[in-house]
Amino acid sequence: MILAWTHGDRVWLWRVLAAVVVANLLEVTLSLWAPTHVPSHPSAPAWLLGFAGTRAAVGAVAVLGILGAVASARRDAGVASTLLWLVSIAVLVEADAARGPGPYRGWFFVGAVGLGVVVGRLWARAGGRTALEPAAAELGGLALLAACYLGAATSKLGGAGLGWADATTLRAVALAHALVDSGGLTAWLADSPGVATVLSWATIAIQFGAIGLVVGPRARVAAMLGLVAFHLGVAGFARIGYWSPVVLLLAFGLPWPRWIKAIRTSEDDPAWEVAPRADRWLGAVLVLVLALAWLLPLGEYTAGHHRPRTLDDHGEVAAREPLTEWGPLQVGDPLGEGWQLDAIEREPRRVMLVLHHAEHGRVVLWVSAREAGQGRGSPFDRRELRIAYEGGGLERPFAVAARAVADRLDGDRSVVDTLR
């Protein structure tokens, strides 16, 4: 049987889901209310950008979503309350993606689960078995949660092929996202090509293994543990924490209904027997969704969400650009006391510089324009440049190299122009 456990009270599950929804709604609302300096999506409709820039409208939609989430946490909750928060969070997330640098993928998971819950409930109703709704809703949410990870795995192999799992991918992610002068797992991974390759293949295997979430009891727990370990690992070496899916995996992946039933009386779920028309209805809906996704011009629009915006007046998009030289700097330049410039990568409003030392490892500096009247943020800032870093103070050995970079860039007009 595809459902892992079929007995028990699931109201606790709807409450956990509602709590995650409320947290995500508050997070995306604060993101929309915060100022942004990134060009909007070039193809975003005017109404969506207008909505994103109106704090009262954003707040009103967020309140509706919270009310829907609270209502969906009831034992007798139906489809309407789930649809209310699902539509609310979808509009807010899309508005934030269109207005800013692109979508935050941590918000996708709860929406996918909500959609699965709705499909599961409607499937049970179409088959004339409303008593089966809670269990079917659980399975639907679990199935689309698994789909998120399957999509991530296939996109990696579809976009970069097997080369995604080479020795460079995870090391580059670690250097781009971790704290400057990080030690521990980040430093170990950045300097361990073999380990990075093994972890890359493990990432793909674990994400494809998400299919186990809908296979059976043991497979569900095994898949859940692997995916939670994956998220904890990413948070450890790259400081990228997607905590909503971790909560959802723990809630949906363990036999809570069975455990709760053991400590309090609960009626068993009805047998999984549904009229064939439910399967026909679900199949027709899936075919329609696939046809719309294929025929409507959504691919071109969403593709612009996955690359940083450029600074031109037309708001076109471009990937991060690796450079061999930038102003007075060149890859391989010595910076004193054993330091050298290891990499240069340009983004729309800043440039990433990776410094390397045989003994002290790697350091990442971010160079951006310093506006008039803007206070000094780091000891390496110059009159028109901000040179940011994270981690320890000036006793760190990279200070010598960072000052050398700052002195070379200071006063170079071509450098400042590329950052504005």
Side-chain angles (χ1 to χ4, degrees), residues 46-397:
W47 70 265
L48 185 61
L49 294 177
F51 165 78
T54 307
R55 300 186 69 171
V58 169
V61 171
V63 169
L64 287 175
I66 291 173
L67 292 175
V70 172
S72 70
R74 301 193 315 268
R75 181 173 280 102
D76 59 346
V79 173
S81 56
T82 304
L83 278 175
L84 178 59
W85 70 251
L86 182 60
V87 172
S88 298
I89 200 169
V91 171
L92 293 176
V93 169
E94 183 56 39
D96 187 73
R99 166 184 175 270
Y104 172 57
R105 289 162 180 77
W107 294 327
F108 289 1
F109 296 90
V110 71
V113 170
L115 181 60
V117 166
V118 169
V119 172
R121 289 188 182 278
L122 294 178
W123 174 80
R125 291 184 184 184
R129 298 298 302 276
T130 56
L132 196 60
E133 271 194 40
E138 177 192 5
L139 180 58
L142 194 66
L144 286 199
L145 185 59
C148 291
Y149 295 101
L150 293 175
T154 55
S155 68
K156 288 179 176 63
L157 296 183
L162 296 179
W164 186 91
D166 64 16
T168 61
T169 303
L170 289 189
R171 295 164 70 202
V173 171
L175 288 173
H177 292 278
L179 298 176
V180 167
D181 211 19
S182 291
L185 180 60
T186 299
W188 175 59
L189 183 65
D191 295 319
S192 304
V195 173
T197 300
V198 171
L199 291 179
S200 296
W201 281 111
T203 296
I204 293 175
I206 288 172
Q207 291 182 337
F208 273 119
I211 190 67
L213 292 173
V214 292
V215 170
R218 294 178 181 175
R220 180 190 287 202
V221 174
M224 180 275 295
L225 291 175
L227 291 166
V228 169
F230 158 73
H231 281 295
L232 294 178
V234 171
F237 82 78
R239 308 301 193 270
I240 305 174
Y242 285 176
W243 302 118
S244 292
V246 170
V247 173
L248 293 172
L249 284 165
L250 292 172
F252 280 81
L254 293 172
W256 296 106
R258 182 181 300 168
W259 291 344
I260 293 174
K261 181 178 182 293
I263 61 177
R264 70 183 187 188
T265 303
S266 173
E267 294 184 1
D268 289 348
D269 292 327
W272 279 81
E273 296 177 0
V274 179
R277 66 176 179 273
D279 294 329
R280 292 195 295 268
W281 172 87
L282 181 59
V285 170
L286 292 176
V287 169
L288 177 62
V289 169
L290 290 174
L292 290 175
W294 185 268
L295 297 174
L296 294 177
L298 297 176
E300 182 179 352
Y301 175 73
T302 57
H305 278 322
H306 296 274
R307 292 171 290 181
R309 313 277 194 261
T310 62
L311 298 179
D312 58 61
D313 294 334
H314 302 289
E316 295 180 358
V317 295
R320 179 188 286 173
E321 180 184 4
L323 304 175
T324 56
E325 60 181 348
W326 181 52
L329 300 177
Q330 289 187 339
V331 173
D333 278 353
L335 301 172
E337 298 189 6
W339 289 92
Q340 73 172 25
L341 184 59
D342 204 36
I344 305 172
E345 292 197 10
R346 181 168 59 192
E347 292 186 358
R349 288 184 176 271
R350 61 181 184 173
V351 170
M352 182 181 78
L353 304 176
V354 180
L355 316 183
H356 181 263
H357 191 283
E359 180 182 351
H360 302 301
R362 292 181 174 85
V363 169
V364 179
L365 303 179
W366 294 99
V367 183
S368 57
R370 183 179 178 185
E371 304 300 332
Q374 192 173 33
R376 194 172 186 182
S378 89
F380 312 123
D381 285 357
R382 294 299 184 262
R383 185 169 59 88
E384 295 185 274
L385 296 174
R386 293 182 64 87
I387 302 179
Y389 71 98
E390 298 177 44
L394 293 181
E395 74 279 2
R396 297 282 190 172

